[in-house]
Amino acid sequence: IDYAKYVKMALYDVQPNLVRLAVLGFLNYDAEADKVHVLDKLFDYVNDRSAKRDYDVIQFPSVVRGSANATVNLLNYDMTIFGVKQIYMSDSQNVVIYPNEQKIILKKNRDFTFAGIVHAGRFDFFGKEFSFDYDKFIIDLKNVDSLRMMVKSVEKDAYGEYPLVKCKTVIESINGDLEIDNPANKSGRKDFPKYPVFNSFKDSYAYYNKKQIQGGKYPKDKFYFHLEPFQIDSLD
């Protein structure tokens, strides 16, 4: 009743609002006693929206039919989530994950492991052993099958612009990590133009041994480009 008076609304109009906020986890609503207990999540949300503290945009939308959305391992409490087509890690830095088989394994403190594609600006990393560290806001790219880059076309399009096109050459045998954004800027509220940053930890190579390239006349062991460990920033 006090809340209804404060917002100057009729009680029957306020009650559905309270139920919706309770479903979202912001408060506990006892309809019979007509009492509301505000939870910490509400204060956290208000602080986030008012830019008083950092927050993240990470969500795990799970869409499946005829089976469970997730399973929990009772030995280590890892949660395997199914039906996850994509995960937006950072809107401002244009970092998106596309998990293989639409599956990830969620661990403590929002860390998770997966296989699939990591899209970061103009770079796409394809691999089988990737892991995300929430506190550091880094994706560990342990086993990258290949890295494909987008580059500006040498020809203009119909609008007189040079569109981005996929570079035909891919880089292989990569091991490194991807710094998504400053760890204190998960929300992207501040502008850190040097992110995303990719750090290569070991030698990597570009090969030209495919059959469609001069009939496969360039075997891996005789013709390749060799890249020593490197760092590249501003991937977007």
Side-chain angles (χ1 to χ4, degrees), residues 28-40:
N28 290 328
Y29 176 44
D30 186 341
E32 293 184 4
D34 198 27
K35 288 185 177 181
V36 173
H37 176 68
V38 179
L39 302 177
D40 289 341

Side-chain angles (χ1 to χ4, degrees), residues 88-221:
Y88 291 96
M89 307 300 293
S90 172
D91 295 333
S92 58
Q93 303 298 358
N94 190 20
V95 177
V96 186
I97 290 172
Y98 300 92
N100 277 358
E101 300 179 354
Q102 300 184 13
K103 180 178 73 175
I104 68 167
I105 300 177
L106 183 63
K107 298 177 177 291
K108 186 178 180 180
N109 190 35
R110 290 155 287 189
D111 294 351
F112 61 90
T113 61
F114 64 99
I117 304 172
V118 176
H119 171 79
R122 298 186 183 187
F123 281 44
D124 286 326
F125 300 88
F126 300 79
K128 302 181 181 66
E129 293 182 65
F130 296 158
S131 60
F132 170 65
D133 186 307
Y134 181 83
D135 286 338
K136 295 179 181 178
F137 215 45
I138 285 177
I139 300 176
D140 187 357
L141 305 168
K142 295 179 182 178
N143 187 357
V144 180
D145 292 333
S146 60
L147 162 62
R148 183 182 295 279
M149 294 174 284
M150 299 288 287
V151 297
K152 279 192 175 182
S153 171
V154 296
E155 298 179 355
K156 293 182 180 180
D157 60 15
Y159 302 99
E161 302 290 339
Y162 293 94
L164 292 176
V165 296
K166 291 181 180 178
C167 182
K168 293 183 179 180
T169 299
V170 299
I171 303 174
E172 301 180 36
S173 304
I174 293 178
N175 179 284
D177 64 28
L178 178 72
E179 302 174 38
I180 300 172
D181 205 335
N182 186 296
N185 191 49
K186 296 180 176 69
S187 60
R189 293 179 296 123
K190 300 178 182 178
D191 184 24
F192 289 94
K194 79 168 189 175
Y195 292 99
V197 177
F198 173 63
N199 303 292
S200 167
F201 297 150
K202 70 174 189 177
D203 294 352
S204 50
Y205 302 87
Y207 300 109
Y208 299 86
N209 60 322
K210 294 181 179 178
K211 286 290 185 182
Q212 59 265 36
I213 302 176
Q214 297 297 319
K217 293 184 182 295
Y218 301 102
K220 280 187 175 184
D221 59 339

Side-chain angles (χ1 to χ4, degrees), residues 3 23 35 49 64 68 81 119 202 216 224:
Y3 176 66
V23 170
K35 288 185 177 181
R49 293 292 292 178
V64 296
I81 306 177
H119 171 79
K202 70 174 189 177
Y224 55 85

Side-chain angles (χ1 to χ4, degrees), residues 25-27 37-47 53:
F26 292 118
L27 51 85
H37 176 68
V38 179
L39 302 177
D40 289 341
K41 182 178 178 179
L42 178 60
F43 296 104
D44 292 339
Y45 185 82
V46 170
N47 287 332
R53 72 169 201 172

Side-chain angles (χ1 to χ4, degrees), residues 57-68:
V57 299
I58 302 170
Q59 297 185 19
F60 305 110
S62 169
V63 180
V64 296
R65 293 182 179 179
S67 61

